[in-house]
């Protein structure tokens, strides 16, 4: 892809609405060889302002949960289905998701994670290519061909869901715990803060 330099999309004007609403392209963050890849929906206001995924309120919830499980944000890779902020934080359209798909596939192929964690309904349905009832399916692992290989995809609720529905906090906790276990069991082994 000529507008991608390694893991970074350097220039893209495929989605007119998003080109209009974004301040910048928000690429994934974290090690290029992370064992765990989190995939969100798309940048929000804070992410668009800072140029990094999950740096707003949802990001703090994710960071706190990772820390609780002995993981550091810096050890995992975090990205989104679309890299440009949709207007008024609306869901990305099917066309926008499709436009950004190649970048996500390339990122998955390069990072080659042990587990891909989908944060919320949009990334879960996008990567599993089916309807997903996120709350009831959270914590389930399914294999899907992504980035040129069969991958383990773990469905998870969006971190923000724990804010407006406290009952989702336990669901979120259990899913992240499971992701940490899968990545920890992987060949290269996720480093745990407790190891140091
Ligand atoms: N929600 C998302 O889905 N992605 C972000 O980057 C931030 C919030």
């Amino acid at each position: 892809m000529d507008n991608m330099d390694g893991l970074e999309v350097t220039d893209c004007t495929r989605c007119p609405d998003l080109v209009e609403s974004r301040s910048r392209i928000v690429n994934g963050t974290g090690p290029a060889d992370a064992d765990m890849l989190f995939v969100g929906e798309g940048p929000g206001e804070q992410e668009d302002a800072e140029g990094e995924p999950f740096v707003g309120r949802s990001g703090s919830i994710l960071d706190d949960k990772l820390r609780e499980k002995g993981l550091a944000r810096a050890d995992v890779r975090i990205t989104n289905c679309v890299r440009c902020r949709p207007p008024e934080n609306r869901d990305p359209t099917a066309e926008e998701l499709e436009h950004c798909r190649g970048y996500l596939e390339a990122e998955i192929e390069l990072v080659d994670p042990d587990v891909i964690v989908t944060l919320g309904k949009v990334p879960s349905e996008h990567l599993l290519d089916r309807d997903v009832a996120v709350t009831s399916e959270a914590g389930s692992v399914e294999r899907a061909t992504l980035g040129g290989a069969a991958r383990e995809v773990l469905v998870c609720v969006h971190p923000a869901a724990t804010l407006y529905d406290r009952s989702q906090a336990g669901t979120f906790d259990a899913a992240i715990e499971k992701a940490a276990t899968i990545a920890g069991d992987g060949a290269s082994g996720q480093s745990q803060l407790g190891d140091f």
Side-chain angles (χ1 to χ4, degrees):
M1 256 172 292
D2 52 10
N3 43 355
M4 203 163 183
D5 178 13
L7 291 161
E8 309 275 292
V9 178
T10 51
D11 175 39
C12 185
T13 53
R14 289 177 192 162
C15 308
D17 279 5
L18 304 197
V19 169
E20 178 80 21
S21 61
R22 75 181 179 202
S23 321
R24 71 198 81 232
I25 295 168
V26 179
N27 284 298
T29 188
D33 61 349
D35 295 338
M36 213 184 275
L37 173 67
F38 289 89
V39 182
E41 178 177 320
E45 185 178 10
Q46 193 82 19
E47 289 74 24
D48 176 71
E50 293 188 34
E52 187 170 328
F54 284 95
V55 287
R57 218 159 160 210
S58 301
S60 317
I61 298 167
L62 179 60
D63 292 357
D64 289 350
K65 188 54 70 186
L66 287 172
R67 211 172 303 118
E68 235 180 270
K69 303 296 172 197
L71 295 163
R73 176 184 169 96
D75 280 344
V76 305
R77 189 148 184 104
I78 309 176
T79 196
N80 277 306
C81 292
V82 297
R83 296 179 189 232
C84 301
R85 183 193 180 196
E88 275 113 50
N89 294 335
R90 67 156 168 72
D91 285 357
T93 64
E95 191 181 27
E96 289 161 355
L97 287 165
E98 201 43 49
H99 285 165
C100 225
R101 179 73 182 223
Y103 303 138
L104 182 57
E105 292 272 347
E107 186 168 21
I108 292 169
E109 187 171 353
L110 282 165
V111 174
D112 190 23
D114 292 335
V115 61
I116 298 172
V117 185
T118 52
L119 297 171
K121 191 173 181 71
V122 168
S124 301
E125 295 193 335
H126 187 48
L127 292 186
L128 294 178
D129 196 26
R130 63 172 177 83
D131 290 342
V132 178
V134 181
T135 309
S136 56
E137 293 191 42
S140 67
V141 180
E142 195 167 315
R143 274 173 100 71
T145 301
L146 298 161
R151 313 276 174 188
E152 306 281 351
V153 177
L154 190 148
V155 174
C156 186
V157 294
H158 194 279
T162 63
L163 289 173
Y164 47 78
D165 178 357
R166 292 303 301 162
S167 73
Q168 306 244 19
T171 312
F172 181 63
D173 182 272
I176 301 297
E177 170 94 35
K178 188 157 187 177
T181 305
I182 296 172
D185 288 345
S188 50
Q190 188 84 29
S191 69
Q192 303 259 326
L193 287 180
D195 293 343
F196 301 103

